[in-house]
Amino acid sequence: MRERLFSFGDDFFITNERNEKVVKVDGKLLRVRQTLIFEDMQGRELYTIKAKLIDIRETMVIKRPNGDRAAVVHNALITPLRDRWKIDIPGGDDLVARGNILQHEYTICRKGERRPIAVISKKWFRLRDTYGVELESAFDAPLILAITVTIDLMAHP
C-alpha cells in the first residue's frame, strides 16, 4: 500500500507480494463525504468507507455491498509513544490495532489476544510512503486492508 494515494477522486491499487493487483480502491468525491469503494479485480464491490470531510473522524464505518456494517473503527487512545484503535466486528471477534500508527508500525490482534492477525510495517520497503500488510491467512484479507486504509485516513487527516 502507498500512503496518501487516496487523494480526492483518485483510484489506486493494492498489490500482493508478487506485485499483482488484488484490490482496487475507487476514490469518489461527493459534496460532504469522501467515499472509498474496495473492489476485487473483476469489479465486484467488497467494502465501502465513507468519511465526512468536515468530521474529526474519531469513528468510521466500513460497510458491505448490501449496506450491513462490516467493521466500526474507533480511535481508542493516542499517547506519545503508542496508539490504540478499537475495531468492532458485528457478530464476530472484535479487534485492536496497537503500535505506532503514525509511522505505520503496528499490529492488529483479536481483542484479548497478543498473536497478531495482521502486521503493518513501513520498515519492509525502501520506497518512500510505501508500507506492507502481512496477514494471517485465515482472516478476511480485504476487510483487514479496508481497516488499514480507514486507520490511515483517521490518523492522517
Side-chain angles (χ1 to χ4, degrees):
M1 295 179 66
R2 292 188 184 275
E3 178 183 15
R4 299 284 188 184
L5 279 183
F6 31 89
S7 61
F8 304 124
D10 286 352
D11 299 344
F12 67 97
F13 292 93
I14 299 173
T15 59
N16 63 15
E17 66 277 0
R18 295 178 301 282
N19 207 30
E20 300 165 335
K21 295 176 182 175
V22 292
V23 175
K24 177 183 178 187
V25 181
D26 185 4
K28 307 261 186 216
L29 179 63
L30 304 174
R31 285 184 148 185
V32 290
R33 292 182 185 259
Q34 177 183 8
T35 301
L36 298 174
I37 300 170
F38 285 68
E39 300 174 345
D40 65 16
M41 295 315 300
Q42 290 72 43
R44 291 182 297 253
E45 184 178 327
L46 302 170
Y47 295 103
T48 300
I49 303 168
K50 290 188 179 180
K52 292 181 182 177
L53 295 178
I54 56 174
D55 198 0
I56 296 174
R57 296 187 217 147
E58 292 179 352
T59 299
M60 291 180 74
V61 177
I62 301 168
K63 292 190 175 186
R64 298 184 188 285
N66 65 3
D68 290 345
R69 288 183 174 194
V72 180
V73 181
H74 307 274
N75 182 347
L77 178 68
I78 297 179
T79 65
L81 301 175
R82 274 181 98 65
D83 300 332
R84 190 175 55 135
W85 301 73
K86 289 176 35 183
I87 302 115
D88 298 328
I89 307 292
D93 293 329
D94 291 341
L95 307 174
V96 177
R98 288 187 192 98
N100 190 331
I101 306 289
L102 297 176
Q103 295 299 315
H104 304 289
E105 300 294 333
Y106 62 97
T107 60
I108 298 175
C109 303
R110 287 181 176 87
K111 189 175 181 180
E113 293 184 15
R114 293 207 179 262
R115 192 187 78 209
I117 61 169
V119 177
I120 293 80
S121 180
K122 210 174 196 180
K123 290 181 183 177
W124 301 329
F125 296 92
R126 293 186 181 169
L127 298 172
R128 187 172 173 254
D129 296 335
T130 300
Y131 57 101
V133 180
E134 184 178 341
L135 302 167
E136 179 184 287
S137 61
F139 209 84
D140 180 355
L143 180 58
I144 290 294
L145 295 172
I147 289 168
T148 302
V149 170
T150 301
I151 289 172
D152 193 66
L153 280 170
M154 294 172 73
H156 302 95

